[in-house]
Amino acid sequence: MLFAQYKYPDEAGTDEAGRGCLAGPVTAACIMLPEKFENGILNDSKQLSERDRYDLAPLLRKEALDYGVCHIYEEKIDEINILNASILAMHGALEQMEKSPSLILVDGNRFKPFKQIPHKCIIKGDSKYSSIAAASVLAKTYRDTHMIQLHQEFPMYNWAKNKGYPTKEHRHAIRKYGLTKYHRKSFKQLPEQMRLEF
């Protein structure tokens, strides 16, 4: 996978995972990679197998000049909406970094200024810049690990497999067992009332 260096050697990429889920947090990561960092597997986390993501994560943490990861939980998501929660998670991940980047590369098209650091929003940035791709891997693996832990408490929803996404299996469990404290109450949990039958 060929990536571009955007502008500065100390740029940081940030991305989130779990935005479209019915349960669990939205998780963001940011990471600052060495200028000449290369890895033949690294890609947008959605294009990688689960095994590749978990193999990459410790390597990225080891090689990173700095990184941070932040969960924003269900109650806050319901309070401020998922877009604001995603940006808050990115800010939280940036707050954890000891080094201050010269530029923040953001996956997507929405962000709010963080301190006085310039930022650049990039559509599909996780397929264009190594730091964003690395952030996507960290966000995804941290969130997946969290959902596997929650699965132990509520195994009937099978979050170990679906990670809280709106699969048929997950929605069937919601119909049968109702909502848990980890479900996002502001989200449309079941689609029936909006579905048109033809």
Side-chain angles (χ1 to χ4, degrees):
M1 183 74 187
L2 295 176
F3 292 104
Q5 188 81 17
Y6 183 74
K7 202 168 185 179
Y8 303 113
D10 57 347
E11 67 194 25
T14 185
D15 198 4
E16 51 74 26
R19 189 165 168 172
C21 293
L22 301 179
V26 62
T27 303
C30 63
I31 188 168
M32 190 186 299
L33 292 171
E35 188 173 1
K36 297 187 182 300
F37 177 84
E38 291 184 6
N39 182 279
I41 299 174
L42 181 62
N43 198 347
D44 166 14
S45 65
K46 294 184 290 295
Q47 304 301 318
L48 297 172
S49 69
E50 184 173 48
R51 180 175 179 177
D52 282 345
R53 288 194 295 267
Y54 275 101
D55 284 347
L56 272 171
L59 172 65
L60 294 171
R61 291 194 297 267
K62 179 181 178 181
E63 295 291 326
L65 300 176
D66 205 348
Y67 73 94
V69 182
C70 178
H71 297 301
I72 299 296
Y73 295 97
E74 307 77 30
E75 287 186 2
K76 194 66 176 179
I77 293 171
D78 290 336
E79 177 188 341
I80 65 175
N81 78 44
I82 188 60
L83 173 61
N84 287 324
S86 297
I87 294 171
L88 184 62
M90 292 180 189
H91 283 197
L94 285 159
E95 288 279 6
Q96 293 180 18
M97 294 177 66
E98 295 181 2
K99 300 179 185 296
S100 182
S102 295
L103 177 71
I104 303 166
L105 298 180
V106 183
D107 184 58
N109 62 356
R110 302 290 292 277
F111 193 65
K112 295 177 182 178
F114 179 77
K115 299 182 177 179
Q116 303 299 314
I117 303 171
H119 68 269
K120 178 74 174 177
C121 292
I122 302 161
I123 303 296
K124 297 184 179 178
D126 45 11
S127 64
K128 298 173 182 176
Y129 296 96
S130 58
S131 59
I132 301 179
S136 77
V137 170
L138 290 185
K140 177 67 173 164
T141 52
Y142 272 76
R143 188 183 185 281
D144 283 358
T145 297
H146 180 78
M147 294 308 296
I148 290 167
Q149 292 167 349
L150 295 188
H151 169 85
Q152 306 305 315
E153 190 174 349
F154 291 100
M156 66 283 284
Y157 299 90
N158 202 10
W159 291 332
K161 181 179 179 183
N162 63 54
K163 309 302 191 294
Y165 282 91
T167 62
K168 288 182 179 180
E169 175 188 43
H170 188 185
R171 283 187 155 141
H172 177 74
I174 292 170
R175 290 188 192 98
K176 185 173 182 180
Y177 301 106
L179 300 179
T180 70
K181 60 186 177 181
Y182 300 117
H183 281 96
R184 302 172 185 177
K185 308 305 189 292
S186 60
F187 275 47
K188 188 175 183 46
Q189 298 286 338
L190 297 173
E192 287 87 346
Q193 63 269 31
M194 295 297 290
R195 183 185 300 154
L196 296 176
E197 301 292 344
F198 293 97

